[in-house]
Amino acid sequence: TRTKSVDVERADSGIGQMPARKWRNRASETLSSLQGWEAHRPCTDCGERDLPVETDVQNCNQRRADLCEKCRKRRTERKESVLEFVNTEASYGEDLRIIKEEFYLPMQAAGLLSQEQLQGIFSNIQELIDLNENFLEILQEEIDQAFDQGDDDLMTVCIGEIFLEFVNMLPAFQTYCLQQSSSVNMLNALEKEKELLRIFLNVSQNDNTALRRMNLRSFLMAPLQRVTKYPLLLSRIIKTTTEYHPDHGSLREAKSRIESHLEHINMKTKQEGNTWTLRSFRQDSKKKREVINIEMRETALKTVGWMREETRFVMEGSLQLAQPPDGQWVKKGSKTLKFQNMQVLLLVNMKRVSESSLESAEPGPVKDAVLVLIRDKNNGKFHLLREPLRLSNCIVSTDPDCDDTFELIEIRREAFVFRDSDRARTHHWFRQIRRYSRELGSWKKRRNALPNIMISTPHTRP
């Protein structure tokens, strides 16, 4: 009987024995290569290739399986440091709440002290409470959002960026710290003088379980202890944060800002004749420079009278300034001008977009912008050269033949020529001042007031 072709079954693979053997060898080599790469794949944090082989794929966390043992440990330590920062901030806020609810309000309600005496003892405690609540709310939101998104290591939480958003809380700490000595002295004197106050404080300490058998003086030290602990907490996070992390630079800047501010507070206490200091820090040129900047910012804010939370310090630093006689700037350029060193601060007053501190970082509408000119320090104090230059009344221009300087002309008043020792920084100053000058006031009015000024010429720097 003839067998139909459809009933015949092929015994081989259809590609022959030699090609099949080569294919199996190639597949085996590829599998070995993949297993080798898997055993030595680079760590996602540091790029090293010392990862352990994961045997149980279903039970291991794939995200953590891409980390070397060193980076796993670092992430764990960083998470602990971040949680420590947030938890201690919450504990500090609880102490502030106790000061208000267990001491201030009962003493006020019972009439134990006058309002002036309460203000002398508790200083700006309410301002510190408000700042702590807002700061802690943002921190907790970041933690919760990270967990909700599956970030169990909290790698997306940027403590440094958040801290810099709330850097305006440092002057509030300064106000409290500088009044601490007089507050304690007033409390001691009133406790000796008023028997009812003495009884209230003793009963509160012994019978009020919320106080943990601590007296009022111990709680009043909470803000001082908290502000001096920030550098330590930030240092721990920095130590466990790789330099490639987006928050690494902000963490270092935040640590530098708080340390410089503590040095500034110590300097103020010495000027007022107090012997105590918060904490000693390494005295290097960068820290001293930042302390000087804090003093200049305080001088500038006091001069313009703006609210601190609506003020941005866009640029600050040393510039050389000259006031050329009529015609000299045009005919001879900057070679014959006599320059003097000056501290210059560019301040911008901006409306807050939202009450949320993180959202307020977005640029809002510019209300005003000024240049504050401060003479170099003399006799321990800063002195203004003149009243601030309001950029809404100024025109900023350059001369193509003098690209190391720029000119700022105040309508119908004075003209100033500025330059920095670094030409690139001179250009940066020019661009920033021109930017805010153009956003303010009536440009048409300024153009008509100075018809001879070449505005937006092809030679003007972009």
Side-chain angles (χ1 to χ4, degrees), residues 304-411:
V304 298
W306 296 346
M307 296 180 63
R308 187 180 301 273
E309 57 269 20
E310 294 183 355
T311 304
R312 285 183 54 200
F313 292 89
V314 179
M315 290 193 69
E316 56 190 23
S318 177
L319 283 178
Q320 294 180 342
L321 176 146
Q323 292 183 268
D326 293 340
Q328 183 179 3
W329 168 245
V330 178
K331 295 178 181 179
K332 300 182 180 180
S334 61
K335 296 182 180 179
T336 59
L337 298 181
K338 294 182 179 180
F339 286 89
Q340 59 178 322
N341 292 326
M342 194 71 52
Q343 299 296 330
V344 182
L345 293 90
L346 173 57
L347 282 70
V348 176
N349 192 1
M350 308 184 73
K351 291 183 179 180
R352 301 179 66 180
V353 176
S354 171
E355 291 299 320
S356 170
S357 178
L358 289 181
E359 293 179 1
S360 65
E362 296 296 327
V366 178
K367 295 164 58 178
D368 203 354
V370 299
L371 274 185
V372 179
L373 309 179
I374 301 179
R375 298 182 185 273
D376 280 342
K377 204 169 186 180
N378 186 21
N379 296 327
K381 294 183 179 180
F382 289 107
H383 298 281
L384 295 175
L385 174 67
R386 63 187 304 285
E387 69 272 12
L389 289 166
R390 299 200 172 274
L391 298 188
S392 58
N393 297 326
C394 298
I395 289 180
V396 190
S397 58
T398 59
D399 189 325
D401 297 328
C402 303
D403 64 348
D404 62 336
T405 59
F406 64 90
E407 185 177 23
L408 186 145
I409 301 178
E410 195 176 15
I411 295 178

Side-chain angles (χ1 to χ4, degrees), residues 2-9:
R2 184 179 296 180
T3 304
K4 295 182 181 180
S5 59
V6 295
D7 296 331
V8 178
E9 296 184 0

